Amino acid sequence: MKTIIGFEIHEQINTPTKLFCDCPTTYREVEPNTNICEVCTGMPGSKPFPVNQYAIDAAIEIAMMLNCEIIKDPVYIQRKHYNYPDLPSGYQRTSLPIGKNGNLLGVGIWEVHLEEDPGKYDPVTGKVDYNRSGVPLVEIVTAPEIYSAKDGRNFMRELVKVLSYTGKVRTEGGTMRMDTNISLEGGRRVEIKNINSIRGAYKALNFEITRQKNLMKRGKSVKQETRAFLESQMITKAMRAKEEADDYRYIPDPDIPPLLVFDEKIESIRAIMQEAPHLKEERFAHDYGVKADDANILASELELANAFEKIAKEVDPKFAANWIRDELKRVLLYNKKTFKESGIRHKHIVGLLKMMQRGEITAKTGQKVIEIMGEKPGDPQKIVEELGMGKITKNDVLETAVDEAIKENKKAANEYLGGKGEALNFVVGAVMRKTKGRADPATILKMLKERLEK
Amino acid sequence: MPSAVENVSKYLERIEKDKTNSFIEINKDAIRDAKAVDKKPKKGKLAGLAIAIKSNINVRGLHATCASKTLESYVAGYDATVIERIKREDGVIIGMTNMDEFACGSSGETSAFGHTENPAAKGRIPGGSSSGSATSIAANLCDISLGSDTGGSIRNPASHCGVVGFKPTYGLVPRYGLIDLAMSLDQIGPFARDVKGAATMLEVISGFNVKEGTTLKANNGYAKNLNPDISGYKIGVVEEFERLTDHKITKEIDKSIKKLENKGAEIVEVSLPNLEAGLPTYYLTVFVEFFSATRKFDGRRYGKKIEDVCGREVLRRILLGKYISQKEFTGKYYKKALQFRSLIKAEVLEALKDVDVIAGPTVPKLPHKLGGEIKDPLVMYAYDVLTVPANLAGIPAGVIKAGEVEGVPVGLQIQGKPLGEQKILNVMQAFEGAAK
């Protein structure tokens, strides 16, 4: 059964001031109703300031990253009227499209526009906090060209990556909000609101697909309606029937002259704009010969991708890509940090990889060093020296360890001599443990063979 | 020169005895503010002058009621930009004036605080909506006042009360702090007893405001540059005005234009063929923008929901605005009004192209008698036919008393090009000299 999905995604732009006034956007860190003024609380007589230029530029850049054509005609800021306690003026200001007809992963991007966040209403206490009122949002509307929950999840992951590449949206969790439209062949379109994460979107879509399929199986029709996603229960619940859709009575806001985007602006943004992640992946695969999967991981974060390109100048790119994928990513995941947040520098990685290549430390030691760096970034050379983890080559320590290991693992040693070759690996492991991974496994194996076979 | 305290005290005493109902609220701190001005070694352009403010402009600590029950307990928490500028030049705010509710009206009768009397024509309406700002000048209750003009709300009462009123170019004076009627048309402007006073106030309040999207980067020394020598000025007269205007008013206006001609101006005939289309264009715009502007008066923050407590005219405009802004009428009313507005604007600018100013009447009829409220809105709206074009075109226009008809003042309206304030004021001052 064919499934058709479209998204509307809202992200907060990471500007220090609101869209139509100078109030700070740090609404979560402060007491309720402290980041407010007569503009963002809609006091009688107040007028919007000229539109926040950073927010306009951010929306243009995001639209360009999504391959949109930028609108050169006057872009009006509209008033969208509806009655809700969190809207101080009885309307929300929302721009007409700044960019149109883009695409990402083969999914059409219908439009990118700017709008203001409303305040926060608590239905339980009846109180409204206007700190959030007027925080700039960028809204991205996709074409209904996603055909499964899984594709939806992949699309959203890629979109989040693109947005983070721009560096223009808030990255702390919980600021993204999305609505999704979903319809199954033979059914009507259902809108799901109140989704706050990619995981939530995936769960909501799966729930909804199952719900709609079951309805159809039982011969019932799927109504056109708006449903809310309840994150706590991972289900969707009917909000209101779409038939009684609100009339927002849009008018261009007479207080705000339309925005005009000139070619110079577009060119100046293009000059500083990042390469889109999927293009970067293709280039990495082509230029450095890294595998597609590795390229995907390298491009998962802009700072990591940039670091990789610097590393690849000094270390074999394939070796570096492999190691970043297996080791660095493992450590970042374990510490729940992005590469940027980890504080690890590209030169540290270069240093570490070179020590491994020169045989100064073992791969095992390399793992330990990056684990330490993950918690406390620093020069790998120093870490190795301070902790005495330099590779043990032929010396008394290693020979003693080999002798002891043979003595303690007589059974395995005898099995080896009896023709069971793999038994020796067990003894190698024992030596590794004794030397805390500082000895090269190949050297150990060679020494063991010499010792046993003489 | 009397001190600020002497000046303000004089007016406070007069207001105490006043019977025109010009004020809704008196500034209890006016004397204190005047004392502060007197203490200053270096004083501003409005030093010690008593300034009355229309009740739709925010003055911190005073009520900006819009003469409506909706906002009867709303105390402004901030100063409008024009108020900041007046205070910076040491003007003393004396009080908040009466007006038509939410500036919806041109008679002064729709205030929730009672109608305003016309001191210049007993028993007649004072005009509106800036009724109290005009009458407070006519009754000598302040030096200068501020009103707002969306379709004639400064010029109409100035004409009916025989005082000087001025509506600036759209965007010349910041609207920040002015409670909206129709955002794309509203402008704040001064009333005064003479042209010099109006020019001085305009000089103080005009100019770019960084906190606003629609102000212009312009401000001349309007008072300083006043020059009554208008020889060589080309003054346009509009042929369509006559047909729409009471002939007794036309006669008075013609006499005034003759005086300007005697001052050396050249009279040129111009035409505004779509003049009457201004009314529907204007009102459709006002209804929709006013509907939008009043959504914040939902009863959650300012005590009362506007639809529950407002007067008939305010309710009519809200309901009409709500009706015609429906999605199904997209393109039929508001958009069409915006298109027509461009047409009228082009026509007005064309008429002004080869002249310096246009001179003519302000209101086509004499103010009606108090108590004889006009029930038919279309008849009532027709009073605005000569004033709305300036708002639709965004051009400046001033009014000065031309003379009297049956003992009732009628105003001469001088309209100019965008940012052509100075020439209008010059013509007005030339006329003022000729009238004396």
Side-chain angles (χ1 to χ4, degrees), chain A residues 18 25 117 124 161 172 188 191 199 254 265 301 333 346 366 375 377 383 385 403:
Chain A
K18 292 184 179 180
T25 50
D117 222 340
V124 179
K161 209 193 288 179
E172 65 264 37
R188 306 284 298 277
E191 184 178 10
R199 181 171 169 266
K265 170 62 79 183
E301 188 192 338
L333 274 173
H346 83 273
E375 276 157 29
I383 294 173
E385 278 167 19
D403 287 344

Side-chain angles (χ1 to χ4, degrees), chain A residues 20-22 37-39 41-51 78-79 81-91 93 121 128 130 246-257, chain B residues 56 58 71 74-75 77-79 170 175-180 183-184 209-214 288-289 291-298 300-302 321-323 325-328 334-335 338:
Chain A
F20 300 110
C21 64
D22 282 346
C37 70
E38 59 261 19
V39 178
T41 55
M43 294 296 278
S46 66
K47 307 281 179 281
F49 291 13
V51 189
Q78 305 234 94
R79 290 183 175 189
H81 301 91
Y82 63 93
N83 181 5
Y84 200 68
D86 64 3
L87 265 192
S89 297
Y91 53 81
R93 292 192 180 94
Y121 172 59
V128 181
Y130 290 116
D246 292 320
D247 185 347
Y248 294 121
R249 294 181 162 78
Y250 285 101
I251 60 164
D253 192 323
D255 287 328
I256 307 171
Chain B
N56 60 354
N58 280 271
L71 290 175
Y74 168 64
V75 177
Y78 70 102
D79 277 332
Y170 183 78
R175 288 182 297 122
Y176 195 93
L178 169 68
I179 299 177
D180 303 317
M183 295 67 76
S184 69
N209 177 22
V210 67
K211 289 182 174 183
E212 214 173 316
T214 55
V288 172
E289 293 189 14
F291 166 76
S292 176
T294 53
R295 294 311 83 207
K296 65 180 61 169
F297 306 122
D298 55 12
R300 291 191 180 97
R301 284 164 297 266
Y302 309 108
K322 186 177 182 181
Y323 179 76
S325 60
Q326 287 177 91
K327 200 175 173 189
E328 60 174 303
Y334 186 63
K335 286 234 173 86
L338 290 178

Side-chain angles (χ1 to χ4, degrees), chain A residues 12-304:
Chain A
Q12 288 179 348
I13 295 171
N14 64 352
T15 158
T17 56
K18 292 184 179 180
L19 195 50
F20 300 110
C21 64
D22 282 346
C23 289
T25 50
T26 51
Y27 65 94
R28 294 202 287 194
E29 293 89 340
V30 297
E31 287 293 302
N33 293 312
T34 48
N35 284 349
I36 56 169
C37 70
E38 59 261 19
V39 178
C40 53
T41 55
M43 294 296 278
S46 66
K47 307 281 179 281
F49 291 13
V51 189
N52 180 328
Q53 189 63 48
Y54 180 95
I56 298 172
D57 292 356
I60 296 171
E61 183 175 339
I62 288 165
M64 285 167 69
M65 289 283 281
L66 295 171
N67 223 2
C68 288
E69 55 178 274
I70 301 302
I71 306 300
K72 307 268 184 65
D73 291 331
V75 174
Y76 284 91
I77 310 289
Q78 305 234 94
R79 290 183 175 189
K80 176 184 182 178
H81 301 91
Y82 63 93
N83 181 5
Y84 200 68
D86 64 3
L87 265 192
S89 297
Y91 53 81
Q92 182 189 22
R93 292 192 180 94
T94 162
S95 84
L96 286 171
I98 286 176
K100 269 206 244 188
N101 301 328
N103 55 72
L104 179 68
L105 292 188
V107 176
I109 304 292
W110 267 348
E111 64 167 272
V112 174
H113 70 251
L114 267 179
E115 59 184 46
E116 60 178 342
D117 222 340
K120 236 178 187 167
Y121 172 59
D122 182 347
V124 179
T125 61
K127 285 182 179 167
V128 181
D129 175 8
Y130 290 116
N131 281 347
R132 199 179 69 180
S133 174
V135 169
L137 297 176
V138 61
E139 178 171 351
I140 298 155
V141 183
T142 77
E145 293 175 352
I146 297 162
Y147 304 110
S148 71
K150 219 172 152 192
D151 285 352
R153 185 171 62 183
N154 286 343
F155 173 83
M156 283 306 306
R157 282 178 178 162
E158 188 68 18
L159 180 68
V160 165
K161 209 193 288 179
V162 170
L163 293 176
S164 80
Y165 261 50
T166 66
K168 298 295 191 302
V169 298
R170 294 204 153 196
T171 47
E172 65 264 37
T175 55
M176 184 174 68
R177 268 155 287 159
M178 46 208 244
D179 306 334
T180 179
N181 282 300
I182 170 164
S183 62
L184 268 55
E185 201 171 4
R188 306 284 298 277
R189 188 165 57 97
V190 172
E191 184 178 10
I192 308 169
K193 287 189 173 289
N194 204 25
I195 301 171
N196 300 310
S197 64
I198 297 176
R199 181 171 169 266
Y202 184 65
K203 295 276 179 190
L205 287 171
N206 274 329
F207 177 86
E208 197 54 28
I209 291 168
T210 309
R211 187 188 72 86
Q212 294 186 18
K213 274 186 182 164
N214 284 343
L215 275 177
M216 288 181 185
K217 255 185 229 160
R218 280 181 277 143
K220 292 188 178 164
S221 63
V222 177
K223 273 191 302 187
Q224 182 164 342
E225 62 177 351
T226 301
R227 300 176 70 84
F229 177 59
L230 306 181
E231 178 109 47
S232 53
Q233 301 167 55
M234 294 288 174
I235 61 164
T236 70
K237 203 179 152 202
M239 280 172 85
R240 56 181 146 84
K242 195 82 182 177
E243 282 78 26
E244 329 146 16
D246 292 320
D247 185 347
Y248 294 121
R249 294 181 162 78
Y250 285 101
I251 60 164
D253 192 323
D255 287 328
I256 307 171
L259 311 176
L260 274 175
V261 182
F262 296 104
D263 288 336
E264 298 82 63
K265 170 62 79 183
I266 295 174
E267 288 319 310
S268 72
I269 290 175
R270 200 187 303 284
I272 56 142
M273 200 173 88
Q274 297 296 336
E275 179 183 26
H278 65 280
L279 298 178
K280 211 181 268 295
E281 280 178 39
E282 283 169 25
R283 187 167 58 79
F284 281 3
H286 181 266
D287 290 5
Y288 300 107
V290 301
K291 283 181 284 186
D293 286 355
D294 291 1
N296 181 272
I297 284 166
L298 293 172
S300 63
E301 188 192 338
L302 179 63
E303 286 76 11
L304 181 61

Side-chain angles (χ1 to χ4, degrees), chain B residues 273-329:
Chain B
N274 282 302
L275 181 64
E276 283 168 276
L279 281 180
T281 304
Y282 169 77
Y283 275 100
L284 288 175
T285 307
V286 167
F287 295 157
V288 172
E289 293 189 14
F290 185 57
F291 166 76
S292 176
T294 53
R295 294 311 83 207
K296 65 180 61 169
F297 306 122
D298 55 12
R300 291 191 180 97
R301 284 164 297 266
Y302 309 108
K304 298 185 180 86
K305 188 176 168 188
I306 189 165
E307 287 90 342
D308 292 345
V309 295
C310 70
R312 206 160 39 162
E313 181 58 24
V314 167
L315 187 60
R316 172 164 32 231
R317 294 187 187 196
I318 290 173
L319 293 180
L320 282 168
K322 186 177 182 181
Y323 179 76
I324 65 178
S325 60
Q326 287 177 91
K327 200 175 173 189
E328 60 174 303
F329 296 144

Side-chain angles (χ1 to χ4, degrees), chain B residues 109-376:
Chain B
E109 295 169 301
T110 69
S111 166
F113 296 84
H115 72 267
T116 310
E117 298 274 350
N118 186 342
K122 292 268 148 49
R124 302 259 179 175
I125 56 151
S129 66
S130 310
S131 326
S133 295
T135 58
S136 61
I137 297 291
N140 202 11
L141 305 176
C142 65
D143 291 299
I144 303 175
S145 64
L146 287 189
S148 66
D149 190 312
T150 308
S153 283
I154 289 174
R155 290 161 289 156
N156 173 297
S159 178
H160 290 339
C161 297
V163 299
V164 170
F166 201 96
K167 173 238 160 324
T169 303
Y170 183 78
L172 180 67
V173 176
R175 288 182 297 122
Y176 195 93
L178 169 68
I179 299 177
D180 303 317
L181 168 55
M183 295 67 76
S184 69
L185 300 163
D186 297 340
Q187 262 295 282
I188 295 172
F191 289 92
R193 273 183 289 280
D194 57 17
V195 176
K196 181 90 192 264
T200 305
M201 180 54 94
L202 189 61
E203 200 172 293
V204 169
I205 60 176
S206 62
F208 181 69
N209 177 22
V210 67
K211 289 182 174 183
E212 214 173 316
T214 55
T215 54
L216 302 169
K217 281 184 177 145
N219 182 353
N220 299 306
Y222 301 112
K224 195 177 66 202
N225 297 329
L226 266 182
N227 180 2
D229 178 10
I230 58 164
S231 52
Y233 270 47
K234 283 186 179 172
I235 295 179
V237 292
V238 180
E239 49 181 326
E240 287 83 1
F241 285 169
E242 194 182 337
R243 191 171 50 78
L244 296 167
T245 308
D246 181 333
H247 72 274
K248 281 174 280 186
I249 294 174
T250 303
K251 227 171 103 185
E252 208 54 44
I253 297 300
D254 285 349
K255 274 199 281 181
S256 307
I257 292 169
K258 192 77 199 156
K259 282 180 190 163
L260 293 174
E261 199 174 3
N262 293 340
K263 285 270 176 182
E266 183 192 338
I267 307 301
V268 182
E269 281 237 348
V270 296
S271 175
L272 292 172
N274 282 302
L275 181 64
E276 283 168 276
L279 281 180
T281 304
Y282 169 77
Y283 275 100
L284 288 175
T285 307
V286 167
F287 295 157
V288 172
E289 293 189 14
F290 185 57
F291 166 76
S292 176
T294 53
R295 294 311 83 207
K296 65 180 61 169
F297 306 122
D298 55 12
R300 291 191 180 97
R301 284 164 297 266
Y302 309 108
K304 298 185 180 86
K305 188 176 168 188
I306 189 165
E307 287 90 342
D308 292 345
V309 295
C310 70
R312 206 160 39 162
E313 181 58 24
V314 167
L315 187 60
R316 172 164 32 231
R317 294 187 187 196
I318 290 173
L319 293 180
L320 282 168
K322 186 177 182 181
Y323 179 76
I324 65 178
S325 60
Q326 287 177 91
K327 200 175 173 189
E328 60 174 303
F329 296 144
T330 304
K332 200 171 170 191
Y333 295 116
Y334 186 63
K335 286 234 173 86
K336 200 148 271 180
L338 290 178
Q339 286 164 357
F340 233 89
R341 185 168 169 181
S342 308
L343 185 84
I344 290 169
K345 183 174 183 177
E347 194 173 292
V348 169
L349 295 182
E350 175 65 26
L352 279 162
K353 207 176 77 187
D354 296 322
V355 298
D356 294 293
V357 296
I358 286 173
T362 311
V363 188
K365 295 189 174 73
L366 290 179
H368 64 260
K369 295 208 168 72
L370 274 164
E373 192 190 340
I374 299 169
K375 293 281 194 289
D376 183 346

